[in-house]
Amino acid sequence: MEAMLNKGIRILISDCVSDPLEAWKAYYDHQRVEEGFYCFKQTVSGNRFRVSTDDTLRGKTFLTFLSCVIGLMFRRRADCAKIKGIDLPYDSETKLLAALNC
């Protein structure tokens, strides 16, 4: 019964941000970044590092991070283009890249 009474309530506590709206926006932005990295890690098979040495582990970690960043930048630019009214065939990143390569 108590779970039903608290359903839908979010409490954010911060020692740095006093404005509740600003704290919520920062939390929401952080969540979007985390979700984006999770999705792109899935896309580039970054969840399982099958490597044989420490050097290859560092290299694969760096390349996974780099591909996630580039993918997020690409998605952000596609979203900005949509906001500006540019018509993009944005069903997926693969289709969009194929359309841009024509």
Side-chain angles (χ1 to χ4, degrees), residues 32-33 35-44 62-80 90 92-94 96-97 100:
R32 286 201 52 176
V33 169
E35 289 170 6
F37 271 107
Y38 176 76
C39 290
F40 279 100
K41 277 178 62 180
Q42 294 292 329
T43 302
V44 297
F62 176 70
L63 288 177
T64 301
F65 173 76
L66 193 59
S67 64
C68 288
V69 169
I70 292 170
L72 288 171
M73 288 172 56
F74 180 76
R75 181 180 284 174
R76 176 73 176 148
R77 290 201 178 181
D79 289 342
C80 288
Y90 189 64
S92 68
E93 283 84 12
T94 306
L96 183 55
L97 282 172
L100 292 173

Side-chain angles (χ1 to χ4, degrees), residues 20-56:
L21 188 57
E22 184 180 337
W24 181 82
K25 285 180 181 178
Y27 175 79
Y28 181 75
D29 289 345
H30 176 77
Q31 283 299 108
R32 286 201 52 176
V33 169
E34 290 292 326
E35 289 170 6
F37 271 107
Y38 176 76
C39 290
F40 279 100
K41 277 178 62 180
Q42 294 292 329
T43 302
V44 297
S45 300
N47 283 342
R48 295 188 180 180
F49 288 160
R50 294 182 180 100
V51 296
S52 57
T53 67
D54 285 343
D55 289 336
T56 53

